Structures are given as structure tokens and as C-alpha cells.
Amino acid sequence: SWFTRNRSLAVSLVSAGLALGTTLVAPLTRWLIVTHDWRFAMLALGFIAWAVILPAALLLRPAPVTEGRSAGALTSTGSVPAGMTLAQALKTPVFWSLALANFACCAAHSGPIFHMVSYAADCGVAPLTAATVLGAAGLAALSGRIICGLLADHTGAKRTLVACLALQ
């Protein structure tokens, strides 16, 4: 199926959707806070989330089960053999390497992202414009995520991950 052949692209499209969400939600949230207050903004965002999530949940369906394999099992193309338990996975150096790399990368880029809006505001940028800076960062991440997904499907997920982590 398409998802099996283009697994990395599928994951990158989901990730690109998250970047698009940042692009749209950051300025919307700031506008709601400026025009109303933070309580109203959080309530409105909650209603918007429910209005999107509930109909989207109706579109979900289980993956088809192929002969000789359960729906959640990874194949030999993945690094985890089908049937591996959580305890077995926790004993592998690959798991801990990925966990450490994920933590280090998230710690390195989350700090600036968390403080981007407040720093821009401290520099005299208007609140709505400061939130738009965060949205622009999300928009910039969108294309990179899709390109990395395409690259991972072409050259391999492991090589792409190592190259992106080294570049970061």
C-alpha cells in the first residue's frame, strides 16, 4: 500500500501538519488574548480542537491485517522485530540512543521556541507580531519536514535521521 512504501513521507506529512498548526494557532491565540482575555482564548481553542478532533476521529479505521502479521507489528524494514516486548526494547542500545538523541535535540531547540514570543515582545515587537514570529518559524519548518520525509523514503530513515541530527 502507499503507506507502506512511503512511510517516512506519511510521518513527515503529519509532522508538517503540526508545523502548519503552529503557523495558524500562534497568531490566532495572541489575537484572542489581545482582543478578549486568556480565559476566553483557551476556551475558544478548546472548542476549536474538539470541532476538529471529533469529526477527524470518525475518519480513523484500523490498518488492514496481512497474512502472517498483526496490524501493529513492524516488518524487517524496521529496526524492531515483530513480537518484541517492551522489556526487550528497553534493553537495546538503539532505544536508548534514540531516546537520548530525542531529548538532546528537543532540549536544544525547545528553549528558543518557548521564549521566542516573549523575547520579541521584550525587544519592543507588538504582541500580535511577536506571536506571528512563532508562526513564521512553524511555516519554515513545514517544508523541511516534508523534504526529510521524502529523503528518508529514498535513502533510508536511519541515514536521514543521523544526517538531520548531525546538521542540527
Side-chain angles (χ1 to χ4, degrees), residues 122-148:
D122 287 347
C123 290
V125 176
L128 186 56
T129 306
T132 305
V133 169
L134 177 60
L139 187 61
L142 192 136
S143 60
R145 292 175 185 193
I146 294 172
I147 290 168
C148 284

Side-chain angles (χ1 to χ4, degrees), residues 44-57:
L45 290 174
F47 281 129
I48 291 169
W50 281 109
V52 171
I53 291 170
L54 290 178

Side-chain angles (χ1 to χ4, degrees), residues 4 11 15 27 32 56 61 68 74 100 102-103 108 118 137 151 158 161:
T4 304
V11 171
S15 183
L32 287 170
R61 59 189 170 136
L74 292 176
L100 178 63
N102 186 47
F103 174 78
S118 57
L151 189 64
K158 189 183 289 186
L161 176 64

Side-chain angles (χ1 to χ4, degrees), residues 7-107:
R7 185 173 310 191
S8 296
L9 178 59
V11 171
S12 71
L13 289 173
V14 170
S15 183
L18 294 170
L20 185 60
T22 301
T23 302
L24 300 174
V25 172
L28 172 65
T29 303
R30 190 47 157 164
W31 177 78
L32 287 170
I33 291 171
V34 169
T35 58
H36 301 286
D37 68 348
W38 69 268
R39 289 175 189 89
F40 177 83
M42 294 301 111
L43 185 64
L45 290 174
F47 281 129
I48 291 169
W50 281 109
V52 171
I53 291 170
L54 290 178
L58 297 174
L59 300 173
L60 294 176
R61 59 189 170 136
V65 177
T66 58
E67 191 174 319
R69 210 175 89 202
S70 67
L74 292 176
T75 63
S76 61
T77 59
S79 60
V80 180
M84 179 178 268
T85 66
L86 176 62
Q88 290 170 328
L90 288 173
K91 293 177 183 174
T92 64
V94 171
F95 172 84
W96 291 107
S97 299
L98 287 173
L100 178 63
N102 186 47
F103 174 78
C105 288
C106 286

